[in-house]
Every structure is written in C-alpha cells, then in structure tokens.
Amino acid sequence: MNGLNLIPLSDAPYRAKDFKSDQEVRWCPGCGDYVVLNAVQAFLPTLGIKRENLVFISGIGCSSRFPYYLNTYGMHSIHGRAPAIATGLAVSRPDLSVWVVTGDGDALSIGGNHFIHALRRNVNLKILLFNNRIYGLTKGQYSPTSEAGKVTTSTPMGSLDHPFNPVSLALGAEATFVARAIDSDRKGLTEVLEAAAHHRGSAFIEIYQNCPIFNQGAFDALKTEEGESQLLRLRAGVEVGGKVHDPGDPDPTGAFALSRMTDRTPIGIFRQVERPTYDDLAREQVARAREAGAPDLQRLLDGHDTWIVA
C-alpha cells in the first residue's frame, strides 16, 4: 500500500460502524452478500487507511449494491466495466486503495474482457468476485459459472454451456494474487481480504456465496462437518499431492493444478507474487516523456493528468 495516506494503527479512529453508511441494506434474507459486507466493514479499520482514500467500484448485479453500504467513496458503474473504470482511477490516483466488487455474471460474461486484462496488466486494484452460480438480480438465469445441465429460467431444459473456473481463469491471465473464500467462513474470508489489501498489484478473490432465492444451497455441501473434510485449506509450506504449496512461486503451474482439483475444493491463497504494476509503469512513462521535453508529446500530455485505459 505504498504511497497511501495512512493513519498510524495505534491512533486509528475507525471502528466497523464507521464504515457503515446510512443506507438500508437491501438484499434477500439469507443472501451471502451480508456476510461479505460485514467482513469487509470489520477489517477495513485495521488497514489504517483514511476513508477518503478508499474507493469501491461495482458493475451491475446484486453484489454491485456494495458501494452504497460502505461509508467510503464509491461508484455503482456500468455492467461489466468496473475494472476499466477502476484502472483509470488507479493510474491517476496512486494515493487511493481501489476495490472492485462484482458477480459471476457481471465479471465473466459481459465484463470478461475487462476482467482478464485488468489482471494481465497487474493494475493495483482488488477484485472481489461474488460467485453464486446464477443471475440473481435478473431473476435466475444461468451464469458463466452455472454447472452444465443447470435448469434455470433461461435454460428450462438444462444449460448446454461448460462453466468457467474463475480461479483458473485468473491464473491463466497471470494475476499476481489469486485466492478463494466461502461466505460462511468469516475467519478465512477475512484472512484473504487482509492479504489482498496489502498486495501491490492485481488481487483477485473468488467468494463462494449463497443465493437463497434462485440457487439455494449451491455450496451447502462444503458447509457441513462432512463438507469440511472436502475443503483443502491452502497454507504456504503445506504438502499437497506430494508437493509443498508455495504461493510465491513465480511459475503458476502448481497453483493452476490446484485450481483444477475435483476431489477436494481448495480455499485460501493460490498465488501471491510480485511484478511491476501497470499504474506505476504508466506514471513512470509519463514522467520520462515530460522530462524528455518532446514538444508534440508535451502538448498532448499537458492538461491530461488522468488516463482511463479500457
């Protein structure tokens, strides 16, 4: 979080309630979004970042109401385009901690292009993808993560599509931080949120969460005592399949293999590596161009300190 306006943690005046807005939280009873919101509001005070230096940008969908409920800056933006808007903000304002809140439909369907390129570029922003495997806001159509054969309002005879694996997709796009959490595991969710917040570069977290109206129980099998044995909690140094898990390995092959597991469900941090960020490099390039004093380029740059890269 280099360059941010930090408050010494010992003097931080914030508590969880300070990050709650005056807006009525309006999700369906039992929605996993409530758990994620509460977890975010609880961990934000620990970061030592002033509220005016925090920005949450969302697209369209149930999860995209998130900015209304946080007492920070935020934007409820365009369907699928939140990463593009967040990129422009991250490039032009290095003093901000920029977050994107999106859903499996918003990010992986209409927003798929913006999603993968934000990760590929390693823009310094954090993407929280709420995955309930359904379109909830538009009343239960299948999404890019719905399982094959899924019967929905838009696929009454079963979906013919093969679903995305969001973690595999993020790793394939060379994201420098990739993790997965479950809405019912508040401790594990908070751990990956904190790690993502301190990561310099693109950080992606897939969050399994429940839609009680249109896809009730999508992940219930993982939330029982028996389901706990199906979870593989990723920790650095833990042996997995005869290999020691190392999220800091620059080669993403091991992390990708974990993302393809079918007998167990890995949660936690798959990958956490360092690479120059797009926004840092862009600002350095602009500075070099100004120092070079090229007349035509200088005229182009003058008065255009904000660059939005779609």
Side-chain angles (χ1 to χ4, degrees):
M1 296 189 293
N2 191 23
L4 295 180
N5 193 0
L6 301 181
I7 307 169
L9 291 180
S10 59
D11 301 326
Y14 298 136
R15 291 176 290 178
K17 68 177 185 178
D18 296 313
F19 288 93
K20 296 179 180 180
S21 75
D22 60 358
Q23 299 298 301
E24 178 188 358
V25 181
R26 301 185 64 181
W27 286 311
C28 300
C31 178
D33 291 3
Y34 285 100
V35 179
V36 184
L37 176 63
N38 289 336
V40 169
Q41 289 170 333
F43 102 92
L44 286 178
T46 70
L47 298 180
I49 302 176
K50 290 185 177 181
R51 287 181 299 189
E52 57 265 35
N53 290 93
L54 285 161
V55 183
F56 284 79
I57 298 174
S58 64
I60 298 297
C62 295
S63 64
S64 295
R65 295 175 181 171
F66 216 81
Y68 292 110
Y69 306 142
L70 286 169
N71 193 14
T72 66
Y73 280 108
M75 179 186 293
H76 191 172
S77 71
I78 309 167
H79 203 186
R81 273 68 176 182
I85 295 170
T87 295
L89 194 57
V91 170
S92 62
R93 290 289 303 272
D95 58 318
L96 300 180
S97 177
V98 183
W99 297 70
V100 171
V101 179
T102 185
D104 46 302
D106 182 58
L108 303 179
S109 186
I110 191 171
N113 180 59
H114 298 290
F115 171 75
I116 61 173
H117 289 298
L119 298 180
R120 174 181 65 85
R121 288 170 170 148
N122 197 33
V123 182
N124 189 35
L125 51 85
K126 325 305 170 191
I127 300 177
L128 309 183
L129 189 151
F130 295 22
N131 184 8
N132 56 19
R133 293 180 175 171
I134 204 76
Y135 277 99
L137 186 67
T138 51
K139 308 299 185 285
Q141 297 83 6
Y142 80 107
S143 86
T145 59
S146 296
E147 58 270 31
K150 181 76 171 179
V151 175
T152 73
T153 56
S154 57
T155 54
M157 297 180 66
S159 170
L160 302 177
D161 285 8
H162 184 75
F164 270 132
N165 179 321
V167 169
S168 297
L169 184 63
L171 290 166
E174 295 283 354
T176 53
F177 181 102
V178 180
R180 178 188 287 146
I182 304 177
D183 59 1
S184 59
D185 179 13
R186 174 73 173 266
K187 182 176 182 293
L189 173 58
T190 301
E191 286 178 358
V192 296
L193 285 171
E194 290 176 342
H198 289 87
H199 179 72
R200 186 74 182 173
S202 61
F204 169 71
I205 304 175
E206 177 190 22
I207 305 172
Y208 286 164
Q209 53 101 223
N210 191 45
C211 175
I213 305 302
F214 296 108
N215 202 21
Q216 171 70 3
F219 300 104
D220 276 2
L222 301 176
K223 299 178 181 181
T224 63
E225 288 187 17
E226 182 180 345
E228 177 66 28
S229 65
Q230 298 303 310
L231 293 176
L232 175 59
R233 296 185 180 274
L234 299 176
R235 294 284 187 271
V238 172
E239 187 172 312
V240 181
K243 295 182 179 180
V244 175
H245 177 52
D246 178 14
D249 187 347
D251 183 354
T253 304
F256 189 84
L258 286 172
S259 76
R260 307 308 295 176
M261 289 184 67
T262 56
D263 56 331
R264 298 180 72 185
T265 301
I267 60 172
I269 299 173
F270 290 75
R271 190 177 197 227
Q272 186 174 8
V273 298
E274 297 297 325
R275 196 173 82 230
T277 68
Y278 178 87
D279 32 322
D280 288 338
L281 294 173
R283 286 189 293 269
E284 290 170 7
Q285 190 176 72
V286 169
R288 288 198 306 272
R290 285 190 168 131
E291 289 173 3
D296 291 338
L297 186 56
Q298 188 64 47
R299 282 197 295 271
L300 177 66
L301 294 175
D302 283 343
H304 293 80
D305 290 330
T306 300
W307 298 87
I308 297 180
V309 184

